[in-house]
Amino acid sequence: QTGWMPRTHPLTLPGGRILLPLYSDGFNASLVAISDDDGDTWRASQPIIGLGPIQPSLARQRNGTIIAFCRDSGPPPFRVMASLSRDNGETWSAARDTDIPNPGSSLEVIVLRDGRWLIVYNDSTKSRDNLTVAISEDEGKTWPLKRRLEPQSDGATSFSYPSVIQSADGAVHITYTCKGPRGGRIRHGILQPGQLKTD
């Protein structure tokens, strides 16, 4: 309740600056830790404020604008929230609702090596009973391709806290918590490049 916590991957900018997304349950807001010396020292950005934007995940557009996609911990309507930075993470616009549903659960966005964006999130405004991956070809404006990852057939009912990377062979690795009759566990899923096509 009193500290600033990381949840998603840091973002390294072309000039070498590292941006580490942080959030506070106490303040119900977020900020970014900034390092310009390979992580030796850090300072805080201006906060990401709004009606409860926490656990930001960062993606950089080709024009240099950085978008922080945030979990919605505020009032309805429940949507993924987005905040923009046009000065390499120093300052952030007020976080506003997107069209992406969010039931008050974490998400992660990455920029694939081919330039497309990928998000893993709960595609619902009410519960974590599904987990979905979506692809954007216009840097986060629209997400036309969606693939349901969960639930599978073992009775699991809640899927949370996805973490996403793209490996050297192009495959996308996704880990997330999974709860159900067998208790809590962590699953690891792999999407091959051919499964991420929009045509």
Side-chain angles (χ1 to χ4, degrees), residues 16 18 34-43:
I18 304 171
I34 300 172
S35 177
D36 289 312
D37 54 12
D38 297 321
D40 288 340
T41 60
W42 297 86
R43 58 187 175 83

Side-chain angles (χ1 to χ4, degrees), residues 102-158:
N102 185 258
S105 64
S106 198
L107 58 110
E108 187 153 41
V109 177
I110 65 168
V111 178
L112 301 174
R113 285 197 292 275
D114 63 11
R116 294 178 298 163
W117 291 21
L118 180 146
I119 185 172
V120 181
Y121 69 107
N122 294 107
D123 190 20
S124 170
T125 60
K126 297 179 180 179
S127 67
R128 302 179 184 184
D129 62 353
N130 68 73
L131 195 69
T132 297
V133 59
I135 296 287
S136 173
E137 294 186 326
D138 54 14
E139 298 189 312
K141 296 182 181 67
T142 61
W143 303 86
L145 177 68
K146 293 196 296 185
R147 179 186 295 269
R148 179 69 58 88
L149 299 177
E150 293 280 9
Q152 297 183 8
S153 58
D154 65 351
T157 57
S158 179

